[in-house]
Amino acid sequence: MLKTRPPLLYGACVALLALVGATATAPVASAAPDLARAAAVARAANIPTPEQHFGFKMGAEGKLASYPDVLTYMKLIAERSDRVDYKTIGPTTMGNEYGTVIISSPKNLRRLDRLVEINQKLADPRSTSPEEARRLASEGVPFYHLEATIHSSEVGNGQAINDIVHRLATEDSDFTRNILNNSVVVLVPSQNPDGQHLIIDHFNRTAGTDYRRTFPDLYHKYTGHDDNRDWTMFTQVEARYRLELEKKYRPAIVHIMHQKGNSGSRIFVPPYGGITSENVPANMSSSVSAIGQHAARALAAAGKTGVGSLDYHIFWTLEQPVGYFPFTGSGVYLTEIASVTDYAYPQKSADGRPLGPQQARMNLIEPYRSDTWTLADIVDYAKIATYAGMEYTASNGEKLLYDNLYAVPHEYLTKGVPSGTFAFVVDAKQRDPYATFEMLQRLEWTEVEIERATSAFVADGKRYDAGSYVVKMQQPRGNWAHQVLGTDQYPEVRDCGECPVLLPYAEATTSLPLQLGVDVAEIRAPFEAQLERVTTVAPPQVTMPPAPRAKGAYLVRPESYGTIQIVSALQDANIPTFRGAKGFTAKGVDYPAGTYIVPATPQARNTLATASAKVGLQVAAVDQTPKVAGVQLKPKTRVGLLRGVGNMPGGWDMWQFDQYGINYDVVSAQDFQRKSLNELYDTIVVSSGVSRDDIVEGLDPAQYDEAYSWAYGVGEKGWRKLQQFVRNGGTLLAIGDSVQTAQQLLDLPMKPALPTSDDEFVTGGSLLNQEFDSNDPVAWGMPESWPVWLYDTQAWELTGDSGKVVSNYPAEGEVLASGYLRGAEHIRGATNVASFDVGKGQVVTYGSEITFRTLPRSQYNLLYNAIYHGPAAEVDATGVQQLRPQFGPDGAPVKR
């Protein structure tokens, strides 16, 4: 917190007090208004305007305030104003500063801890009666969480907040007194500070050059534009910061400031459109609709036209702007303002006609009649909409605190969820304990109450062992728990008979159990069980077995995707690692194909002990190594990630590889200057969405300088080198949309199986049932069947004999597991994952995006099996039993 006494304000107050004391005939009470006015004048004089601080007005054409300068300005205001505090929350993904600005009256800031305590009590109906809640709502004030620029190319809002904070810090008016006295504003200047650095620094650096002003790559190191679609797994540190802010301050209203394309309305304000989930509280939606219409009136009063509403289908699933907030009782007020050219230059219609739709409708009362739209317009609209949201919140604080912050969790605590579900039971017997841990950990992060059975019990006719987890729906976060634990059946709703189906804003399902691979049962009828509250979620405790004899080995089962981290540790330590090609039995235990077999050395023991404890997966030991044929993984397998510039799936793949310790490098244009890509890589993973043009043409050097030379095109010669990489023995893995690229590259015998028309086939982002050949090395460790994620990519039909089907959609029975599916007949029996031998190398294609935003983790093994298996060496049963290495310490094959 930054706070010093403003010297000019202090001097003015002392002078005024001296004047009052010297005037014996003046009543002391009459001096109070003069004192306040003098303090306000002094405050305003001591705090520079944004124009004075930055050297230009916010919204000036071609000018953008950099993020470090914005933070400097916020800190300066906090130093000089008794209405503003600044707090540093922590470092971002790239090490920048994530900060918040707290704005309220001096009285409220002095009692901030008490106001937070009130909100915490209101949010916990277990310890707060309705009568006490009404008293607390009367004593407290609502918190207004204001968040700018999570999407860093939407720069206008990040400029507007400078004017907003300056006004609240300096102005003495009925408006500001209402806001400051009756609310607390928690401003996040940027939910993605790294992107602000990347976007605006590039924009300012290229001023006066011939280079493009727009930043070409991801404006978050990993997630890019997907950084507001991380609200179930909370993979990024910024998402977890936001979650912790919500849990600390319990805002009544959350205002998320966005921009959108330039062809529609000039600004969107609630009410929202589309279909809502029954888990979203009704009173939250209605309060936000009221705020949106209050903002619409304010914009109209200011002469701002082109105000739209009844759009944005954001309340079905959570991978979207809103996330966890509305499920807690916070009203989510989303504004989306039209963008301009290259961030900061005017947008003009090509034909001189007004911008945006011109037919007046109930969702666009007054069209925008100008042919020009500017950054200054964006800043003006943002400020008016924000002031309106603040005004509504401050003027309706008691109702928002009671009806939203308290009544929402109280309703689920007392009534349960609308579906009538009693509880979800997580069976103690899970094929993937690490997936179970990750699922329960996310529930814990979001304050879902978890209980564990202390003895066996029966629910819905099934017996569950002690240690099974129970998540009851009659709890404050019951609606959130139901949203993420249940399966979805997205309804087929149309605005008219001929209209298309109203698809969700993002995805049609958010089922964590199906995405992670956890066996969870939804129980509707109440049941009795001896339960204890889980206070801390942690990976299962495991211990290393006694060290086996010299001819023995350690065994690691392949079912869990957490095993990948163990394998990565073995790779880093250069420890020989084998896999059995078939199932076997050891010490009375059956092990499946793909089981890892590791020599019983002290180094292997130390590595396995550390890695297995991290993921909670038990390592076994046998005194006699199993006699089974298999493969040895190549030590320090070299992995290349061909992700393409600005490619979000590739960004998520980087995060995944970094989290799991994969030894990888992003494939660059400079790599193609080598004689052969095989000199650098054993396996190349092509992220979803990488096309032939992305590889061959790439970025234009005339538009982007050498900082982006890694993404320059490699030409036809480079394209042929990628072909040769496979034919020379390399492994190529193509995900999602990139399967078509691999097919073009190597003329693979396959063709698309799905129609391109949404009238015939569409999923909207759903989980579809899948059958796996778990005897194939690519599918080692997979169950016989489990859902996979499909979102805007293809299923395939093999047209020759050289390919092998690793997984396919069921030819009979139910295809849809959760979400939405139209045209199931087109995908029945179609191939999803296939492998091909090409020359000396191998190609594996994944029709579904198995790494989609790192969510469908139950499918991870399909990728990592292939990463390591392609470069592996075959070993006969004798070789495995004797653990005879096929590679030397340098990774080169052993000559025998």
Side-chain angles (χ1 to χ4, degrees):
M1 180 186 300
L2 295 172
K3 183 63 61 180
T4 59
R5 175 182 292 155
L8 184 56
L9 172 60
Y10 176 71
C13 292
V14 170
L16 184 58
L17 287 171
L19 178 63
V20 171
T23 310
T25 58
V28 174
S30 68
D34 292 335
L35 179 62
R37 282 193 293 272
V41 170
R43 182 185 302 109
N46 201 35
I47 297 174
T49 66
E51 183 175 8
Q52 291 168 333
H53 178 81
F54 295 103
F56 53 87
K57 282 188 175 182
M58 298 298 94
E61 181 178 324
K63 299 287 187 180
L64 293 175
S66 70
Y67 183 70
D69 286 348
V70 170
L71 290 193
T72 298
Y73 186 53
M74 297 297 163
K75 292 174 183 177
L76 183 149
I77 294 177
E79 288 174 349
R80 299 182 181 182
S81 172
D82 57 358
R83 302 176 180 180
V84 180
D85 282 344
Y86 181 90
K87 299 177 186 293
T88 298
I89 304 301
T92 62
T93 298
M94 297 175 66
N96 292 306
E97 183 175 352
Y98 185 107
T100 59
V101 183
I102 314 296
I103 309 168
S104 194
S105 67
K107 178 182 177 181
N108 284 339
L109 291 181
R110 286 194 297 270
R111 66 176 186 136
L112 188 65
D113 289 345
R114 172 57 182 165
L115 294 176
V116 170
E117 180 186 18
I118 289 171
N119 283 0
Q120 292 291 347
K121 289 184 175 181
L122 288 170
D124 184 8
R126 290 195 187 281
S127 59
T128 309
S129 67
E131 295 73 24
E132 184 184 5
R134 291 196 180 279
R135 181 183 62 78
L136 290 170
S138 176
E139 179 187 352
V141 299
F143 281 54
Y144 186 92
H145 179 108
L146 179 62
E147 176 182 296
T149 64
I150 186 169
H151 288 159
S152 300
S153 57
E154 301 166 8
V155 296
N157 296 307
Q159 308 299 294
I161 58 172
N162 298 296
D163 286 342
I164 292 169
V165 175
H166 179 264
R167 181 184 183 186
L168 294 178
T170 62
E171 183 177 289
D172 184 33
S173 65
D174 290 342
F175 168 80
T176 55
R177 282 193 293 272
N178 180 33
I179 303 301
L180 297 169
N181 292 333
N182 298 310
S183 70
V184 175
V185 176
V186 180
L187 166 66
V188 177
S190 178
Q191 176 61 20
N192 178 16
D194 296 343
Q196 287 296 285
H197 277 270
L198 294 169
I199 289 278
I200 297 180
D201 290 355
H202 177 84
F203 180 85
N204 291 335
R205 182 171 62 86
T206 54
T209 72
D210 293 330
Y211 292 122
R212 288 282 304 274
R213 306 294 301 279
T214 53
F215 183 69
D217 203 8
L218 300 175
Y219 49 69
H220 179 281
K221 178 179 179 179
Y222 294 121
T223 67
H225 196 76
D226 276 349
D227 55 359
N228 71 329
R229 294 169 177 89
D230 188 28
W231 309 133
T232 53
M233 289 302 290
F234 301 96
T235 64
Q236 305 302 307
V237 66
E238 296 84 1
R240 294 196 290 275
Y241 286 155
R242 187 214 253 194
L243 177 63
E244 292 308 311
L245 286 173
E246 191 284 330
K247 288 159 61 176
K248 176 179 180 179
Y249 292 117
R250 308 292 185 186
I253 297 297
V254 177
H255 181 182
I256 302 175
M257 308 171 79
H258 273 276
Q259 287 175 233
K260 56 178 183 166
N262 53 43
S263 60
S265 62
R266 297 300 88 189
I267 186 173
F268 163 82
V269 295
Y272 303 106
I275 299 168
T276 185
S277 166
E278 65 179 3
N279 293 314
V280 175
N283 55 347
M284 185 285 303
S285 296
S286 59
S287 65
V288 174
S289 296
I291 289 181
Q293 292 311 288
H294 186 69
R297 288 193 296 272
L299 288 158
K304 305 299 183 183
T305 58
V307 180
S309 60
L310 296 172
D311 202 349
Y312 288 87
H313 308 174
I314 67 173
F315 284 136
W316 177 256
T317 58
L318 315 173
E319 303 306 308
Q320 48 197 290
V322 296
Y324 177 59
F325 282 124
F327 295 83
T328 68
S330 295
V332 178
Y333 170 38
L334 171 68
T335 53
E336 293 265 3
I337 305 175
S339 295
V340 292
T341 303
D342 289 351
Y343 309 144
Y345 292 95
Q347 186 78 27
K348 293 185 68 70
S349 64
D351 55 9
R353 295 179 181 178
L355 293 166
Q358 294 301 299
Q359 176 60 55
R361 301 178 62 183
M362 289 305 296
N363 64 346
L364 184 71
I365 300 295
E366 189 175 3
Y368 185 71
R369 302 301 189 187
S370 173
D371 68 345
T372 303
W373 181 248
T374 67
L375 180 61
D377 291 325
I378 296 172
V379 170
D380 284 346
Y381 276 59
K383 291 190 294 186
I384 294 168
T386 302
Y387 294 143
M390 291 177 175
E391 181 180 55
Y392 182 93
T393 302
S395 301
N396 294 275
E398 190 170 341
K399 286 181 65 64
L400 290 170
L401 287 174
Y402 186 86
D403 293 347
N404 282 18
L405 200 58
Y406 177 76
V408 165
H410 185 265
E411 176 182 359
Y412 296 106
L413 174 64
T414 55
K415 298 180 181 179
V417 295
S419 69
T421 301
F422 177 73
F424 287 89
V425 177
V426 184
D427 198 326
K429 299 174 182 177
Q430 296 287 335
R431 67 186 307 276
D432 191 344
Y434 183 66
T436 307
F437 156 68
E438 288 213 303
M439 185 188 76
L440 294 175
Q441 181 187 58
R442 269 55 180 190
L443 295 179
E444 180 187 42
W445 286 356
T446 50
E447 304 174 297
V448 172
E449 296 172 1
I450 307 167
E451 296 176 289
R452 182 171 43 225
T454 57
S455 60
F457 65 95
V458 175
D460 198 21
K462 179 180 177 181
R463 185 182 187 277
Y464 292 92
D465 290 341
S468 296
Y469 296 94
V470 176
V471 180
K472 293 180 180 177
M473 296 298 95
Q474 200 164 320
Q475 62 164 292
R477 294 293 174 264
N479 58 332
W480 171 263
H482 190 269
Q483 183 74 25
V484 297
L485 291 178
T487 56
D488 299 289
Q489 295 294 323
Y490 186 81
E492 188 156 303
V493 177
R494 307 170 189 265
D495 283 337
C496 65
E498 300 298 322
C499 295
V501 172
L502 292 174
L503 292 175
Y505 178 87
E507 288 69 66
T509 184
T510 52
S511 176
L512 284 181
L514 293 185
Q515 293 185 98
L516 301 183
V518 184
D519 183 16
V520 174
E522 183 172 2
I523 311 295
R524 302 185 68 84
F527 59 87
E528 295 295 328
Q530 297 297 316
L531 304 172
E532 61 181 4
R533 180 74 177 273
V534 175
T535 57
T536 302
V537 173
Q541 290 189 346
V542 294
T543 57
M544 286 295 291
R549 297 173 183 172
K551 293 184 178 181
Y554 294 106
L555 306 179
V556 180
R557 300 184 69 92
E559 292 96 339
S560 172
Y561 63 80
T563 304
I564 301 160
Q565 298 184 53
I566 298 177
V567 176
S568 297
L570 293 169
Q571 285 269 307
D572 286 344
N574 211 10
I575 294 172
T577 305
F578 297 79
R579 301 190 77 175
K582 293 183 179 181
F584 59 88
T585 300
K587 296 178 71 173
V589 177
D590 292 333
Y591 290 87
T595 295
Y596 295 90
I597 304 169
V598 183
T601 64
Q603 184 187 20
R605 182 178 182 83
N606 291 337
T607 300
L608 288 169
T610 301
S612 64
K614 180 180 177 182
V615 293
L617 298 175
Q618 184 63 52
V619 175
V622 290
D623 288 330
Q624 183 64 47
T625 303
K627 188 174 182 180
V628 57
V631 296
Q632 185 197 353
L633 305 190
K634 183 177 181 180
K636 294 187 177 295
T637 301
R638 303 166 302 166
V639 182
L641 180 65
L642 186 55
R643 70 173 184 88
V645 71
N647 176 275
M648 284 184 288
W652 284 108
D653 290 344
M654 286 195 299
W655 181 86
Q656 187 183 131
F657 285 2
D658 284 341
Q659 290 298 304
Y660 287 84
I662 306 303
N663 175 29
Y664 83 101
D665 287 306
V666 172
V667 178
S668 71
Q670 289 71 37
D671 293 341
F672 286 83
Q673 296 172 9
R674 294 287 192 106
K675 180 179 179 181
S676 170
L677 289 169
N678 302 84
E679 298 175 12
L680 299 172
Y681 303 113
D682 301 305
T683 298
I684 292 178
V685 179
V686 187
S687 297
S688 184
V690 177
S691 68
R692 185 184 191 279
D693 282 349
D694 291 330
I695 299 170
V696 175
E697 302 298 331
L699 281 185
D700 183 354
Q703 295 184 336
Y704 293 98
D705 63 22
E706 289 186 0
Y708 312 103
S709 62
W710 67 273
Y712 289 168
V714 301
E716 294 295 336
K717 184 177 180 181
W719 180 255
R720 291 190 295 272
K721 282 190 176 183
L722 189 57
Q723 292 174 330
Q724 201 59 40
F725 165 78
V726 178
R727 300 187 190 283
N728 287 346
T731 298
L732 185 75
L733 313 179
I735 303 172
D737 289 337
S738 296
V739 172
Q740 182 177 354
T741 306
Q743 184 194 29
Q744 290 177 290
L745 179 74
L746 297 161
D747 193 25
L748 300 176
M750 57 195 306
K751 66 179 183 180
L754 302 179
T756 57
S757 170
D758 283 353
D759 292 333
E760 297 182 68
F761 182 88
V762 65
T763 65
S766 299
L767 288 157
L768 308 184
N769 288 317
Q770 190 91 164
E771 298 169 347
F772 301 95
D773 178 3
S774 57
N775 289 316
D776 188 287
V778 175
W780 279 343
M782 295 297 293
E784 290 184 2
S785 63
W786 194 263
V788 300
W789 182 265
L790 189 68
Y791 183 57
D792 281 348
T793 56
Q794 260 294 351
W796 296 85
E797 177 186 342
L798 302 191
T799 58
D801 296 330
S802 61
K804 183 178 180 183
V805 175
V806 177
S807 76
N808 57 271
Y809 299 93
E812 298 179 352
E814 187 62 60
V815 176
L816 178 65
S818 185
Y820 175 76
L821 175 63
R822 185 197 309 143
E825 65 274 12
H826 296 292
I827 202 170
R828 288 190 184 280
T831 297
N832 181 29
V833 182
S835 65
F836 305 85
D837 292 328
V838 179
K840 297 179 181 179
Q842 183 184 35
V843 177
V844 181
T845 60
Y846 305 88
S848 67
E849 194 175 338
I850 61 169
T851 57
F852 181 78
R853 297 179 190 157
T854 73
L855 291 171
R857 301 186 180 193
S858 63
Q859 304 161 46
Y860 275 9
N861 282 338
L862 294 168
L863 179 67
Y864 292 99
N865 283 339
I867 284 176
Y868 293 118
H869 185 79
E874 292 188 5
V875 187
D876 61 22
T878 302
V880 171
Q881 189 173 41
Q882 296 177 359
L883 297 178
R884 190 166 58 220
Q886 308 298 299
F887 297 99
D890 59 354
V894 173
K895 295 181 180 179
R896 299 191 185 279

